[in-house]
mmCIF file of all heavy atoms in Angstrom:
data_model
loop_
_atom_site.group_PDB
_atom_site.id
_atom_site.type_symbol
_atom_site.label_atom_id
_atom_site.label_comp_id
_atom_site.label_asym_id
_atom_site.label_seq_id
_atom_site.Cartn_x
_atom_site.Cartn_y
_atom_site.Cartn_z
ATOM 1 N N SER A 137 66.191 169.022 122.493
ATOM 2 C CA SER A 137 67.283 170.087 122.441
ATOM 3 C C SER A 137 68.629 169.402 121.997
ATOM 4 O O SER A 137 69.405 170.116 121.358
ATOM 5 C CB SER A 137 67.359 170.706 123.801
ATOM 6 O OG SER A 137 66.130 171.472 124.064
ATOM 7 N N ALA A 138 68.847 168.186 122.425
ATOM 8 C CA ALA A 138 70.088 167.594 122.162
ATOM 9 C C ALA A 138 70.295 167.415 120.636
ATOM 10 O O ALA A 138 71.463 167.391 120.158
ATOM 11 C CB ALA A 138 70.196 166.216 122.906
ATOM 12 N N LYS A 139 69.156 167.174 119.900
ATOM 13 C CA LYS A 139 69.153 166.985 118.439
ATOM 14 C C LYS A 139 68.888 168.245 117.732
ATOM 15 O O LYS A 139 68.841 168.211 116.416
ATOM 16 C CB LYS A 139 68.167 165.860 118.117
ATOM 17 C CG LYS A 139 68.554 164.523 118.685
ATOM 18 C CD LYS A 139 67.541 163.498 118.198
ATOM 19 C CE LYS A 139 67.851 162.069 118.825
ATOM 20 N NZ LYS A 139 69.108 161.554 118.378
ATOM 21 N N ASN A 140 68.592 169.337 118.439
ATOM 22 C CA ASN A 140 68.216 170.622 117.739
ATOM 23 C C ASN A 140 66.992 170.317 116.749
ATOM 24 O O ASN A 140 67.023 170.774 115.612
ATOM 25 C CB ASN A 140 69.401 171.144 116.971
ATOM 26 C CG ASN A 140 70.442 171.726 117.988
ATOM 27 O OD1 ASN A 140 70.205 172.130 119.054
ATOM 28 N ND2 ASN A 140 71.652 171.795 117.377
ATOM 29 N N THR A 141 66.033 169.568 117.300
ATOM 30 C CA THR A 141 64.934 169.279 116.443
ATOM 31 C C THR A 141 63.639 169.461 117.148
ATOM 32 O O THR A 141 63.600 169.168 118.423
ATOM 33 C CB THR A 141 64.961 167.708 115.913
ATOM 34 O OG1 THR A 141 66.224 167.492 115.337
ATOM 35 C CG2 THR A 141 63.923 167.410 115.139
ATOM 36 N N VAL A 142 62.674 170.031 116.440
ATOM 37 C CA VAL A 142 61.282 170.178 117.072
ATOM 38 C C VAL A 142 60.355 169.416 116.183
ATOM 39 O O VAL A 142 60.565 169.148 115.039
ATOM 40 C CB VAL A 142 60.910 171.709 117.053
ATOM 41 C CG1 VAL A 142 61.806 172.473 117.989
ATOM 42 C CG2 VAL A 142 60.828 172.352 115.661
ATOM 43 N N TYR A 143 59.242 169.079 116.795
ATOM 44 C CA TYR A 143 58.365 168.108 116.172
ATOM 45 C C TYR A 143 56.906 168.691 116.296
ATOM 46 O O TYR A 143 56.584 169.316 117.217
ATOM 47 C CB TYR A 143 58.320 166.712 116.792
ATOM 48 C CG TYR A 143 59.709 166.112 116.946
ATOM 49 C CD1 TYR A 143 60.515 166.241 118.060
ATOM 50 C CD2 TYR A 143 60.156 165.339 115.866
ATOM 51 C CE1 TYR A 143 61.821 165.640 118.051
ATOM 52 C CE2 TYR A 143 61.406 164.791 115.892
ATOM 53 C CZ TYR A 143 62.207 164.864 116.970
ATOM 54 O OH TYR A 143 63.470 164.228 117.017
ATOM 55 N N LEU A 144 56.187 168.292 115.336
ATOM 56 C CA LEU A 144 54.648 168.613 115.325
ATOM 57 C C LEU A 144 53.977 167.239 115.156
ATOM 58 O O LEU A 144 53.963 166.747 113.954
ATOM 59 C CB LEU A 144 54.312 169.559 114.262
ATOM 60 C CG LEU A 144 52.843 169.897 114.165
ATOM 61 C CD1 LEU A 144 52.379 170.616 115.394
ATOM 62 C CD2 LEU A 144 52.434 170.802 113.000
ATOM 63 N N GLN A 145 53.409 166.716 116.228
ATOM 64 C CA GLN A 145 52.677 165.521 116.167
ATOM 65 C C GLN A 145 51.239 165.871 115.901
ATOM 66 O O GLN A 145 50.623 166.661 116.623
ATOM 67 C CB GLN A 145 52.702 164.737 117.530
ATOM 68 C CG GLN A 145 51.924 163.510 117.554
ATOM 69 C CD GLN A 145 52.374 162.455 116.616
ATOM 70 O OE1 GLN A 145 53.545 162.145 116.509
ATOM 71 N NE2 GLN A 145 51.500 161.867 115.862
ATOM 72 N N MET A 146 50.663 165.313 114.827
ATOM 73 C CA MET A 146 49.315 165.676 114.312
ATOM 74 C C MET A 146 48.494 164.363 114.380
ATOM 75 O O MET A 146 48.685 163.466 113.690
ATOM 76 C CB MET A 146 49.284 166.280 112.942
ATOM 77 C CG MET A 146 50.205 167.522 112.711
ATOM 78 S SD MET A 146 50.181 168.268 111.107
ATOM 79 C CE MET A 146 51.032 166.859 110.203
ATOM 80 N N ASN A 147 47.352 164.462 115.250
ATOM 81 C CA ASN A 147 46.479 163.396 115.376
ATOM 82 C C ASN A 147 45.143 163.773 114.928
ATOM 83 O O ASN A 147 44.808 164.935 114.726
ATOM 84 C CB ASN A 147 46.417 162.866 116.829
ATOM 85 C CG ASN A 147 47.753 162.424 117.347
ATOM 86 O OD1 ASN A 147 48.608 161.786 116.628
ATOM 87 N ND2 ASN A 147 47.993 162.642 118.610
ATOM 88 N N SER A 148 44.217 162.850 114.616
ATOM 89 C CA SER A 148 42.985 163.024 114.202
ATOM 90 C C SER A 148 42.904 164.045 112.991
ATOM 91 O O SER A 148 42.008 164.992 113.089
ATOM 92 C CB SER A 148 41.996 163.409 115.367
ATOM 93 O OG SER A 148 42.092 162.561 116.366
ATOM 94 N N LEU A 149 43.661 163.801 112.028
ATOM 95 C CA LEU A 149 43.706 164.838 110.916
ATOM 96 C C LEU A 149 42.436 164.970 110.195
ATOM 97 O O LEU A 149 41.740 163.955 109.941
ATOM 98 C CB LEU A 149 44.879 164.418 110.009
ATOM 99 C CG LEU A 149 46.338 164.789 110.579
ATOM 100 C CD1 LEU A 149 47.382 163.988 109.721
ATOM 101 C CD2 LEU A 149 46.614 166.197 110.450
ATOM 102 N N LYS A 150 42.182 166.091 109.654
ATOM 103 C CA LYS A 150 40.965 166.379 108.972
ATOM 104 C C LYS A 150 41.391 166.970 107.626
ATOM 105 O O LYS A 150 42.478 167.550 107.470
ATOM 106 C CB LYS A 150 40.106 167.506 109.756
ATOM 107 C CG LYS A 150 39.848 167.073 111.113
ATOM 108 C CD LYS A 150 39.108 168.319 111.847
ATOM 109 C CE LYS A 150 38.795 168.023 113.283
ATOM 110 N NZ LYS A 150 38.164 169.094 113.969
ATOM 111 N N PRO A 151 40.511 166.865 106.725
ATOM 112 C CA PRO A 151 40.801 167.460 105.296
ATOM 113 C C PRO A 151 41.135 169.003 105.458
ATOM 114 O O PRO A 151 41.996 169.515 104.714
ATOM 115 C CB PRO A 151 39.553 167.394 104.587
ATOM 116 C CG PRO A 151 38.974 166.037 105.100
ATOM 117 C CD PRO A 151 39.244 166.120 106.574
ATOM 118 N N GLY A 152 40.519 169.686 106.415
ATOM 119 C CA GLY A 152 40.884 171.111 106.714
ATOM 120 C C GLY A 152 42.347 171.391 107.157
ATOM 121 O O GLY A 152 42.755 172.634 107.154
ATOM 122 N N ASP A 153 42.971 170.319 107.588
ATOM 123 C CA ASP A 153 44.387 170.526 108.026
ATOM 124 C C ASP A 153 45.367 170.497 106.709
ATOM 125 O O ASP A 153 46.456 170.749 106.876
ATOM 126 C CB ASP A 153 44.831 169.348 108.938
ATOM 127 C CG ASP A 153 44.123 169.375 110.200
ATOM 128 O OD1 ASP A 153 43.803 170.457 110.788
ATOM 129 O OD2 ASP A 153 43.699 168.299 110.628
ATOM 130 N N THR A 154 44.872 170.275 105.608
ATOM 131 C CA THR A 154 45.749 170.223 104.371
ATOM 132 C C THR A 154 46.316 171.588 104.119
ATOM 133 O O THR A 154 45.593 172.525 104.109
ATOM 134 C CB THR A 154 44.874 169.772 103.154
ATOM 135 O OG1 THR A 154 44.331 168.463 103.304
ATOM 136 C CG2 THR A 154 45.606 169.985 101.867
ATOM 137 N N ALA A 155 47.661 171.573 104.071
ATOM 138 C CA ALA A 155 48.251 172.813 103.941
ATOM 139 C C ALA A 155 49.797 172.563 103.792
ATOM 140 O O ALA A 155 50.266 171.421 104.072
ATOM 141 C CB ALA A 155 48.158 173.820 105.159
ATOM 142 N N ALA A 156 50.564 173.463 103.446
ATOM 143 C CA ALA A 156 52.041 173.441 103.602
ATOM 144 C C ALA A 156 52.398 173.845 104.956
ATOM 145 O O ALA A 156 51.849 174.969 105.429
ATOM 146 C CB ALA A 156 52.688 174.326 102.525
ATOM 147 N N TYR A 157 53.177 173.167 105.619
ATOM 148 C CA TYR A 157 53.451 173.379 107.067
ATOM 149 C C TYR A 157 54.973 173.935 107.058
ATOM 150 O O TYR A 157 55.848 173.273 106.506
ATOM 151 C CB TYR A 157 53.378 172.099 107.863
ATOM 152 C CG TYR A 157 51.929 171.846 108.238
ATOM 153 C CD1 TYR A 157 50.964 171.287 107.310
ATOM 154 C CD2 TYR A 157 51.427 172.088 109.514
ATOM 155 C CE1 TYR A 157 49.738 171.130 107.570
ATOM 156 C CE2 TYR A 157 50.079 171.854 109.839
ATOM 157 C CZ TYR A 157 49.236 171.383 108.810
ATOM 158 O OH TYR A 157 47.956 171.133 109.154
ATOM 159 N N TYR A 158 55.167 174.938 107.906
ATOM 160 C CA TYR A 158 56.460 175.519 108.004
ATOM 161 C C TYR A 158 56.864 175.651 109.484
ATOM 162 O O TYR A 158 55.986 175.920 110.320
ATOM 163 C CB TYR A 158 56.477 177.003 107.517
ATOM 164 C CG TYR A 158 56.029 177.076 106.015
ATOM 165 C CD1 TYR A 158 54.686 177.106 105.566
ATOM 166 C CD2 TYR A 158 57.063 177.188 105.081
ATOM 167 C CE1 TYR A 158 54.390 177.304 104.262
ATOM 168 C CE2 TYR A 158 56.747 177.211 103.677
ATOM 169 C CZ TYR A 158 55.439 177.300 103.271
ATOM 170 O OH TYR A 158 55.050 177.355 101.935
ATOM 171 N N CYS A 159 58.161 175.484 109.799
ATOM 172 C CA CYS A 159 58.687 175.745 111.035
ATOM 173 C C CYS A 159 59.363 177.097 110.945
ATOM 174 O O CYS A 159 59.878 177.449 109.784
ATOM 175 C CB CYS A 159 59.560 174.707 111.620
ATOM 176 S SG CYS A 159 61.038 174.300 110.759
ATOM 177 N N ALA A 160 59.509 177.786 112.006
ATOM 178 C CA ALA A 160 60.150 179.137 112.040
ATOM 179 C C ALA A 160 60.799 179.379 113.405
ATOM 180 O O ALA A 160 60.432 178.840 114.407
ATOM 181 C CB ALA A 160 59.086 180.165 111.789
ATOM 182 N N ALA A 161 61.777 180.256 113.334
ATOM 183 C CA ALA A 161 62.574 180.644 114.552
ATOM 184 C C ALA A 161 62.359 182.231 114.694
ATOM 185 O O ALA A 161 62.597 182.904 113.834
ATOM 186 C CB ALA A 161 64.009 180.272 114.514
ATOM 187 N N GLY A 162 61.988 182.564 115.881
ATOM 188 C CA GLY A 162 61.858 184.015 116.102
ATOM 189 C C GLY A 162 61.596 184.331 117.524
ATOM 190 O O GLY A 162 62.046 183.720 118.470
ATOM 191 N N MET A 163 60.726 185.472 117.758
ATOM 192 C CA MET A 163 60.479 185.950 119.169
ATOM 193 C C MET A 163 59.339 185.239 119.717
ATOM 194 O O MET A 163 58.978 185.622 120.865
ATOM 195 C CB MET A 163 60.327 187.506 119.067
ATOM 196 C CG MET A 163 61.576 188.202 118.482
ATOM 197 S SD MET A 163 63.120 187.707 119.364
ATOM 198 C CE MET A 163 62.712 188.346 121.034
ATOM 199 N N GLY A 164 58.602 184.469 119.114
ATOM 200 C CA GLY A 164 57.640 183.650 119.768
ATOM 201 C C GLY A 164 56.151 184.108 119.775
ATOM 202 O O GLY A 164 55.379 183.699 120.535
ATOM 203 N N GLY A 165 55.858 185.083 118.876
ATOM 204 C CA GLY A 165 54.426 185.533 118.770
ATOM 205 C C GLY A 165 53.644 184.609 117.940
ATOM 206 O O GLY A 165 54.050 183.549 117.483
ATOM 207 N N ALA A 166 52.379 185.039 117.768
ATOM 208 C CA ALA A 166 51.443 184.312 116.885
ATOM 209 C C ALA A 166 51.411 184.804 115.506
ATOM 210 O O ALA A 166 50.755 184.182 114.585
ATOM 211 C CB ALA A 166 50.062 184.291 117.471
ATOM 212 N N SER A 167 52.047 185.958 115.227
ATOM 213 C CA SER A 167 52.236 186.466 113.831
ATOM 214 C C SER A 167 53.408 185.974 113.128
ATOM 215 O O SER A 167 54.536 185.947 113.683
ATOM 216 C CB SER A 167 52.166 187.978 113.958
ATOM 217 O OG SER A 167 52.506 188.580 112.635
ATOM 218 N N PRO A 168 53.279 185.645 111.860
ATOM 219 C CA PRO A 168 54.423 185.297 111.094
ATOM 220 C C PRO A 168 55.496 186.367 111.138
ATOM 221 O O PRO A 168 56.721 186.037 110.991
ATOM 222 C CB PRO A 168 53.922 185.010 109.629
ATOM 223 C CG PRO A 168 52.412 184.735 109.814
ATOM 224 C CD PRO A 168 52.017 185.571 111.003
ATOM 225 N N ARG A 169 55.177 187.591 111.239
ATOM 226 C CA ARG A 169 56.057 188.631 111.243
ATOM 227 C C ARG A 169 57.034 188.689 112.445
ATOM 228 O O ARG A 169 58.109 189.515 112.395
ATOM 229 C CB ARG A 169 55.368 189.980 111.043
ATOM 230 C CG ARG A 169 54.559 190.146 109.847
ATOM 231 C CD ARG A 169 53.942 191.472 109.665
ATOM 232 N NE ARG A 169 55.034 192.486 109.453
ATOM 233 C CZ ARG A 169 54.722 193.867 109.357
ATOM 234 N NH1 ARG A 169 53.516 194.273 109.300
ATOM 235 N NH2 ARG A 169 55.828 194.635 109.206
ATOM 236 N N THR A 170 56.797 187.989 113.460
ATOM 237 C CA THR A 170 57.711 187.859 114.621
ATOM 238 C C THR A 170 58.734 186.784 114.441
ATOM 239 O O THR A 170 59.523 186.521 115.397
ATOM 240 C CB THR A 170 56.709 187.598 115.964
ATOM 241 O OG1 THR A 170 56.188 186.369 115.926
ATOM 242 C CG2 THR A 170 55.788 188.732 116.113
ATOM 243 N N TYR A 171 58.746 186.161 113.432
ATOM 244 C CA TYR A 171 59.786 185.032 113.141
ATOM 245 C C TYR A 171 60.730 185.470 112.017
ATOM 246 O O TYR A 171 60.217 185.876 110.918
ATOM 247 C CB TYR A 171 59.007 183.701 112.775
ATOM 248 C CG TYR A 171 58.164 183.177 113.979
ATOM 249 C CD1 TYR A 171 56.956 183.585 114.168
ATOM 250 C CD2 TYR A 171 58.910 182.254 114.758
ATOM 251 C CE1 TYR A 171 56.299 183.188 115.381
ATOM 252 C CE2 TYR A 171 58.074 181.878 115.913
ATOM 253 C CZ TYR A 171 56.863 182.262 116.225
ATOM 254 O OH TYR A 171 56.198 181.850 117.193
ATOM 255 N N ALA A 172 61.916 185.380 112.310
ATOM 256 C CA ALA A 172 62.965 185.862 111.317
ATOM 257 C C ALA A 172 63.413 184.813 110.320
ATOM 258 O O ALA A 172 63.897 185.113 109.278
ATOM 259 C CB ALA A 172 64.178 186.415 111.985
ATOM 260 N N TYR A 173 63.303 183.528 110.697
ATOM 261 C CA TYR A 173 63.924 182.483 109.953
ATOM 262 C C TYR A 173 62.789 181.397 109.739
ATOM 263 O O TYR A 173 62.054 181.039 110.614
ATOM 264 C CB TYR A 173 65.056 181.762 110.627
ATOM 265 C CG TYR A 173 66.210 182.792 110.998
ATOM 266 C CD1 TYR A 173 66.249 183.347 112.291
ATOM 267 C CD2 TYR A 173 67.139 183.135 110.052
ATOM 268 C CE1 TYR A 173 67.276 184.189 112.585
ATOM 269 C CE2 TYR A 173 68.068 184.064 110.322
ATOM 270 C CZ TYR A 173 68.152 184.607 111.594
ATOM 271 O OH TYR A 173 69.161 185.495 111.888
ATOM 272 N N TRP A 174 62.873 180.868 108.459
ATOM 273 C CA TRP A 174 61.755 179.955 107.974
ATOM 274 C C TRP A 174 62.386 178.726 107.347
ATOM 275 O O TRP A 174 63.431 178.888 106.551
ATOM 276 C CB TRP A 174 60.794 180.626 107.116
ATOM 277 C CG TRP A 174 60.010 181.695 107.799
ATOM 278 C CD1 TRP A 174 60.394 182.991 107.943
ATOM 279 C CD2 TRP A 174 58.714 181.526 108.243
ATOM 280 N NE1 TRP A 174 59.320 183.601 108.683
ATOM 281 C CE2 TRP A 174 58.276 182.716 108.915
ATOM 282 C CE3 TRP A 174 57.777 180.447 108.304
ATOM 283 C CZ2 TRP A 174 57.125 182.927 109.461
ATOM 284 C CZ3 TRP A 174 56.569 180.709 108.999
ATOM 285 C CH2 TRP A 174 56.312 181.880 109.492
ATOM 286 N N GLY A 175 61.809 177.537 107.463
ATOM 287 C CA GLY A 175 62.065 176.414 106.627
ATOM 288 C C GLY A 175 61.463 176.445 105.283
ATOM 289 O O GLY A 175 60.789 177.397 105.004
#
């Protein structure tokens, strides 16, 4: 919180994890539509 930074630590990566990864700010649901801001 002091750095205003969130992290995603990914271990044991698999080929199926291949994707573009996005962070988002919103109301905290599991649907992309619940997030208003995107990287």
Side-chain angles (χ1 to χ4, degrees):
S137 296
K139 297 182 181 296
N140 290 333
T141 301
V142 297
Y143 304 96
L144 180 64
Q145 177 67 45
M146 303 182 292
N147 298 327
S148 301
L149 282 163
K150 307 173 182 179
D153 295 319
T154 295
Y157 283 73
Y158 300 86
C159 65
M163 299 306 296
S167 169
R169 298 187 64 180
T170 63
Y171 294 83
Y173 304 99
W174 294 84

